[in-house]
Structures are given as structure tokens and as C-alpha cells.
Amino acid sequence: MLDIVIILFLGIAPPILSLWMLHRAQVSYQQTTNRQIPRISQAPSLKALPPADMTCIEGYGYVIGKVSCKYNARSPYIRCTVNPSGPCQDCRHYESL
């Protein structure tokens, strides 16, 4: 009878130990993320581009920069293929269409 109890205990012990370790890992992870949430919420927010810098083109939608430039990317995210961060004023790569 004692042999059967020992065999059952050895068979059940690894899953119980695994569940206990999993529970400890989840609690530790939750405590770590709860400490980091205030840091994430204090991150600086990104500022949107001013609407004056955007032009609406039929078929494309809103684009940034001078639409008359040959290198304009015609995108609301990238101003120019040569000078993506801009500005268009006094750009040495500006070529009119």
C-alpha cells in the first residue's frame, strides 16, 4: 500500500510543482508591470503636424510640403524623398514640376 502512495505522489508532484512555479512567475510579472505603468504614462506625447503645412490633393488625400516639387513624396507622413524631415523653404533639392 505504501508503494502505491509513493508512486502516486511522484506522479502528481511535477504538475503541482509546475503550477506553483507558473503562479509565482505570473505574480512577479504583474508586480513588475505595475511598477512600470506610471513611467509609461509620463512619456511625452507626439505633436501632430500643423494643418497649415498639409495640402489636400484629389486622389491622394492630404500631403505634407510643397506639392509643386518634383521630389514631394505625396504622403501625409513623409514630406520629401530627398529631405524627409523638411522644411521645403530654401531646400537646395527643390525642382518645380
Side-chain angles (χ1 to χ4, degrees), residues 15-66:
I16 291 174
L17 182 63
S18 175
L19 289 174
W20 178 68
M21 300 271 297
L22 178 66
H23 176 70
R24 284 187 53 200
Q26 287 177 343
V27 168
S28 173
Y29 175 75
Q30 288 176 350
Q31 289 174 348
T32 303
T33 55
N34 287 342
R35 278 186 250 141
Q36 292 177 354
I37 287 175
R39 294 181 199 151
I40 294 171
S41 65
Q42 294 173 358
S45 62
L46 298 175
K47 294 182 180 178
L49 292 173
D53 197 23
M54 298 183 87
T55 309
C56 184
I57 299 176
E58 288 186 38
Y60 287 108
Y62 283 97
V63 297
I64 303 172
K66 292 186 179 181

Side-chain angles (χ1 to χ4, degrees), residues 1-15:
M1 179 72 178
L2 184 61
D3 295 340
I4 295 173
V5 172
I6 292 173
I7 291 172
L8 286 175
F9 178 74
L10 290 176
I12 294 174

Side-chain angles (χ1 to χ4, degrees), residues 57-94:
I57 299 176
E58 288 186 38
Y60 287 108
Y62 283 97
V63 297
I64 303 172
K66 292 186 179 181
V67 184
S68 60
C69 181
K70 176 182 175 182
Y71 298 111
N72 188 298
R74 304 221 180 350
S75 166
Y77 306 108
I78 299 173
R79 180 183 315 270
C80 174
T81 55
V82 179
N83 187 12
S85 61
C88 292
Q89 293 80 7
D90 301 325
C91 179
R92 62 186 173 119
H93 300 289
Y94 178 79

